[in-house]
Amino acid sequence: MSLRIIILGASGTLGTYATRQALAEGHQVTALVRNPAKLAADLQGRVAVCQADLSNVASTDLADKLRAHDVLINTAGFVTDGEAFVQLIDRIVSAVEALPADARPVCWFLAGAGLLDLDARGRRGLDLPKVRTTYWPHAKNHERLMRSTLDWRLLCPGPMVETPPVGVERLRVSQEHLPVQLPRMMARLPDLLALVFFAKRMPEMIVSYADAAALMLHRLKPQGEFSRQRIGLALPAGMRGSKDQWTAQAGAKSKP
């Protein structure tokens, strides 16, 4: 079934993958971008383009742009922007809330593996030292979503890289907790030791942008199985992603 999908941040890496895959699956796609010229060349003329700066657009104006869409996929914003990232997510959530309940799209948002539970106590990766310093905005954004009545899903992958997909059907997918195996005594470990195990499992959660985009596009049913859940992703058991590749990509993207 063809859906009307609006992708926020469609000119970014994950947004580009999501846009291409949505078109390939026959959906009607609107790309909301700050600068239409940055939209990938192969997408020009194939999507409806909506220009807006999410950092300062009024929620009422954004609500008008979101109206008449079945699905919203937000790939905009960076956790390293701190409070600005929190404000961006709040602005988007408020815009969807401004729509009548029966006109609100299914919403996908993005966080990180650190937001997922590590143990039965509900301790998360971002509750650990060093991790919380950078990734605390994910907790704030999750709290904002929990306060809303939206039909949202929060994708929480590890680092994403531009590698060939392994296929959604092969991924380990979890709800609320990490998708990798941790020691049974994890709940009894002090934070610093828990951090060691969390970091050691991270290569298993280095997934491709293509797989992350595909998972979102395969779970668009209103009030479906992932509704109002944090969703974790990991490679098939025994497979590990490359930290070196992730570090190299991150460094390249940080250059002006």
Side-chain angles (χ1 to χ4, degrees):
M1 180 178 65
S2 177
L3 299 173
R4 298 164 297 178
I5 301 177
I6 185 166
I7 299 177
L8 281 56
S11 60
T13 306
L14 180 59
T16 298
Y17 274 92
T19 302
R20 286 177 178 146
Q21 290 188 30
L23 288 170
E25 293 177 14
H27 298 301
Q28 302 173 48
V29 181
T30 298
L32 189 149
V33 292
R34 180 167 51 189
N35 182 356
K38 291 187 176 181
L39 197 63
D42 64 299
L43 298 178
Q44 300 281 350
R46 300 176 61 204
V47 298
V49 177
C50 181
Q51 186 171 7
D53 184 347
L54 289 172
S55 66
N56 57 32
V57 64
S59 289
T60 52
D61 293 339
L62 182 56
D64 288 338
K65 300 178 188 301
L66 303 180
R67 197 181 304 275
H69 288 93
D70 303 305
V71 175
L72 178 157
I73 298 176
N74 178 60
T75 65
F78 299 95
V79 68
T80 50
D81 289 339
E83 187 58 35
F85 185 44
V86 173
Q87 292 174 5
L88 182 147
I89 299 303
D90 177 67
R91 186 173 295 110
I92 296 169
V93 172
S94 296
V96 181
E97 288 175 329
L99 298 172
D102 61 356
R104 294 173 181 171
V106 168
C107 299
W108 268 106
F109 291 90
L110 190 68
L115 186 63
L116 298 167
D117 293 348
L118 300 175
D119 54 42
R121 289 196 290 149
R123 182 171 51 172
R124 304 162 301 182
L126 55 76
D127 294 323
L128 303 176
K130 297 185 179 180
V131 181
R132 71 169 67 95
T133 303
T134 299
Y135 296 99
W136 62 267
H138 288 324
K140 292 289 186 182
N141 293 338
H142 182 228
E143 290 167 5
R144 179 65 181 91
L145 288 169
M146 290 293 290
R147 292 196 304 271
S148 78
T149 58
L150 306 186
D151 184 5
W152 55 266
R153 300 98 202 269
L154 189 55
L155 186 65
C156 302
M160 290 180 287
V161 292
E162 293 194 72
T163 55
V166 301
V168 172
E169 68 284 352
R170 296 184 60 204
L171 294 176
R172 285 177 282 174
V173 181
S174 65
Q175 295 174 250
E176 303 295 340
H177 57 82
L178 279 184
V180 296
Q181 187 173 3
L182 293 171
R184 291 185 178 180
M185 76 292 198
M186 195 73 179
R188 300 195 300 272
L189 296 179
D191 284 353
L192 284 176
L193 191 52
L195 177 61
V196 172
F197 282 102
F198 177 61
K200 190 175 182 179
R201 295 294 186 271
M202 189 56 67
E204 299 177 49
M205 295 180 280
I206 298 177
V207 298
S208 72
Y209 285 104
D211 280 327
L215 182 82
M216 292 189 288
L217 289 167
H218 289 182
R219 295 294 191 280
L220 301 178
K221 183 179 179 180
Q223 305 301 323
E225 61 175 316
F226 288 174
S227 180
R228 298 182 65 83
Q229 299 284 309
R230 293 168 288 162
I231 307 302
L233 294 179
L235 296 169
M239 187 180 294
R240 296 164 67 87
S242 168
K243 279 189 175 182
D244 290 341
Q245 182 179 38
W246 169 55
T247 302
Q249 285 190 195
K253 290 176 183 178
S254 68
K255 294 179 181 179

